[in-house]
Amino acid sequence: QVQVVESGGGSVQAGGSLKLSCAASGRIGNMTCVGWFRQVPGKEREGVATIHTSGGGTYYAASVKGRFTISRDNAKNVVYLQMNSLKPEDTAMYYCAAQGSVLLTCPARSSWYNYWGQGTQVTVSS
């Protein structure tokens, strides 16, 4: 079994920064894909960024490209999401997910991931 725990959410003013952490534990040896997703009430869960923990390949949604950076520390089994220049529209519950894969790139579809954290709230005020 794999456990995923997010941390680092909070409230910030527009233009500010937050850094989210995603810690994985358990049988994580094959968890090569880690993704950050976000969801607001009444809307579908949106893929924000993904990273291949072995090859390092990344994906960013167009709405966050240039502002968010996903990175990994394999020694600690932690994936980070550095969020800069935050906007009110970034307000959402942010989730981390992990999945094993033979793919070289990691999908941004939430349905593809089986292991999810409980989420951490990010609120950006104008």
Side-chain angles (χ1 to χ4, degrees):
Q1 191 65 294
V2 175
Q3 294 80 41
V4 177
V5 178
E6 307 96 335
S7 62
S11 297
V12 65
Q13 289 192 327
S17 298
L18 283 173
K19 187 174 185 177
L20 306 183
S21 298
C22 172
S25 60
R27 298 172 65 98
I28 60 173
N30 294 326
M31 297 295 110
T32 52
C33 282
V34 176
W36 282 100
F37 298 80
R38 64 187 182 186
Q39 189 171 24
V40 297
K43 292 191 176 181
E44 290 189 0
R45 195 165 292 188
E46 172 193 17
V48 175
T50 68
I51 188 166
H52 194 287
T53 59
S54 179
T58 58
Y59 158 86
Y60 295 95
S63 58
V64 306
K65 194 172 292 185
R67 300 187 298 122
F68 291 11
T69 303
I70 190 170
S71 62
R72 72 199 194 279
D73 184 334
N74 288 346
K76 296 181 179 179
N77 293 325
V78 177
V79 170
Y80 304 99
L81 185 68
Q82 177 68 48
M83 305 185 295
N84 299 327
S85 302
L86 282 161
K87 304 175 181 180
E89 50 263 45
D90 294 318
T91 295
M93 184 70 79
Y94 282 71
Y95 298 90
C96 180
Q99 181 61 44
S101 174
V102 297
L103 303 176
L104 297 180
T105 57
C106 299
R109 301 189 313 275
S110 61
S111 59
W112 188 81
Y113 292 80
N114 284 323
Y115 302 99
W116 289 85
Q118 295 299 309
T120 184
Q121 178 68 36
V122 171
T123 302
V124 184
S125 58
S126 57

